[in-house]
Amino acid sequence: MATIIHVGSGKKVTISDGQLIRDICEQELDVPFSCKDGLCGTCKIKIVEGMGNLSPKNEKEIDMGIEKDERLACQTKIKSGNVKIDHPY
């Protein structure tokens, strides 16, 4: 099992290894979503800690030109371990 911690709210959620973080971020961590397909950037999150515990950036994230410490929650899977996120946008 993996854990996602939202540093802004202090919320902590357990998630299965290998799972997309999209639903957890939307339902439990209050990250806003729009398209859910990696096209709009609404769900862009900052990875405060644990980038190595996430799947590699995919083509949609690379094409969007997001920063080194950012991910699109709709496109990201958690491999295992702990990840701290923030949604400052």
Side-chain angles (χ1 to χ4, degrees):
M1 297 299 281
T3 303
I4 302 175
I5 302 157
H6 188 286
V7 297
S9 68
K11 292 182 181 179
K12 181 177 178 179
V13 179
T14 302
I15 184 171
S16 298
D17 293 346
Q19 186 176 344
L20 275 171
I21 66 171
R22 177 182 59 212
D23 294 336
I24 293 295
C25 284
E26 181 178 37
Q27 296 167 6
E28 303 287 333
L29 302 176
D30 304 321
V31 173
F33 282 79
S34 187
C35 74
K36 296 186 182 179
D37 195 34
L39 301 173
C40 70
T42 304
C43 66
K44 185 168 48 172
I45 55 175
K46 181 177 181 179
I47 307 303
V48 177
E49 188 177 298
M51 183 70 84
N53 295 333
L54 300 173
S55 59
K57 288 183 181 178
N58 67 21
E59 191 173 315
K60 290 179 180 182
E61 291 175 291
I62 293 167
D63 288 347
M64 187 165 285
I66 59 176
E67 298 293 324
K68 183 175 150 180
D69 64 345
E70 295 174 333
R71 296 299 303 267
L72 297 179
C74 70
Q75 299 296 302
T76 305
K77 289 184 181 180
I78 190 164
K79 296 188 286 189
S80 64
N82 296 325
V83 175
K84 291 183 180 179
I85 69 166
D86 200 4
H87 188 269
Y89 307 105

